[in-house]
Amino acid sequence: MRDVEAFLVTMTSRQAINATQTARVRRETYIGPWLPEPVDTSADPCLGAERAAALETAVLVVLEKMTPTERAAFVLREAFDYPYGRIAEVLEIKEPAARKLVSRARQAIESDRRVSVDIVHQRRLLAAFLNAARAGEFDELEALFASDVASYSDGGGVVRNASRIPVFGRTRVAKYVAAFASHFWTGVAIDWVDANGRASVVISRDGASIAWLGVSAADDETIDRLYWVFNPAKLGRIAHVVAVPGESAAP
């Protein structure tokens, strides 16, 4: 059984490294910001706090900037708690090299990641944002944002609602969100889902999912990142989590 597990982990890791290398080439011509595909994590009974943190969208964005082997080493260590010796075997490197890869990946993430608020506060901030955004309340939106807030919209070049450049700064992001309140939120249904270890929402219109939205919050309990995924190619799996689209109550 141990040999079978080791073989499967090794083969999966190597296939993932190859896929990452291919995906990186594709993203060089990707139109607009690139965000990871939202993945349902609500049904995972083994998802602890540390593993959830390793799956957050903000962390996954940083992971995409790493080399494929750095990423594989980090995921095996942080998400699956593999010992360094096993990681070295999987990646066909020496154990000190495996430790160095994980250390370098951790440094990259820590240099970019803020201290997140707990899940309860994160859900509350997202609910407050939805209320303010749907009403187009500029002042309320501005009050919810950190001074250096950033909004990233992944439309893959095929969705008009998605900004092709990130929007930065409290006032600019508040103006940006308030500007499309009158048309974007009309006739939509909002369903809460747990994706990438955090509360988020799927936005639907006429029974079809049109966007996924997640936020990250800074340690001062303001929103510092908005993540919008509009690209239809990335909505399929998370859309299936919403059995019957409809306005679900905020948590």
Side-chain angles (χ1 to χ4, degrees), residues 55-73:
L55 294 172
E56 286 183 30
T57 300
V59 175
L60 296 178
V61 170
V62 178
L63 281 175
E64 291 301 322
K65 300 176 183 178
M66 299 178 186
T67 66
T69 51
E70 283 176 341
R71 181 179 180 182

Side-chain angles (χ1 to χ4, degrees), residues 16-17 19-25 27-28 34 53-54 56-78 98 100-113:
I17 289 172
T20 301
Q21 291 171 330
T22 302
R24 175 169 290 188
V25 172
R27 281 196 291 278
E28 290 177 357
W34 179 95
E56 286 183 30
T57 300
V59 175
L60 296 178
V61 170
V62 178
L63 281 175
E64 291 301 322
K65 300 176 183 178
M66 299 178 186
T67 66
T69 51
E70 283 176 341
R71 181 179 180 182
F74 178 83
V75 171
L76 288 171
R77 180 64 181 173
E78 297 296 320
K100 187 172 183 179
L101 285 173
V102 174
S103 175
R104 199 156 53 209
R106 283 174 174 163
Q107 289 174 4
I109 287 174
E110 291 305 319
S111 67
D112 193 77
R113 185 168 66 181

Side-chain angles (χ1 to χ4, degrees), residues 7-42:
F7 171 77
L8 291 175
V9 170
T10 299
M11 292 304 297
T12 302
S13 298
R14 290 176 184 170
Q15 289 293 328
I17 289 172
N18 291 337
T20 301
Q21 291 171 330
T22 302
R24 175 169 290 188
V25 172
R26 288 199 304 267
R27 281 196 291 278
E28 290 177 357
T29 58
Y30 198 82
I31 298 175
W34 179 95
L35 292 175
E37 179 181 350
V39 177
D40 174 36
T41 49
S42 62

Side-chain angles (χ1 to χ4, degrees), residues 69-150:
T69 51
E70 283 176 341
R71 181 179 180 182
F74 178 83
V75 171
L76 288 171
R77 180 64 181 173
E78 297 296 320
F80 298 103
D81 198 28
Y82 268 52
Y84 288 105
R86 291 284 303 282
I87 295 173
E89 291 176 11
V90 170
L91 300 180
E92 297 183 330
I93 57 178
K94 301 292 186 181
E95 184 171 330
R99 290 180 178 274
K100 187 172 183 179
L101 285 173
V102 174
S103 175
R104 199 156 53 209
R106 283 174 174 163
Q107 289 174 4
I109 287 174
E110 291 305 319
S111 67
D112 193 77
R113 185 168 66 181
R114 322 271 182 93
V115 177
S116 297
V117 298
D118 62 36
I119 293 175
V120 173
H121 284 103
Q122 186 261 345
R123 292 172 73 95
R124 178 182 60 78
L125 283 168
L126 177 53
F129 169 78
L130 289 168
N131 289 334
R134 299 183 73 179
E137 293 288 346
F138 171 81
D139 290 341
E140 292 182 21
L141 287 167
E142 196 173 37
L144 284 170
F145 295 148
S147 60
D148 57 349
V149 63

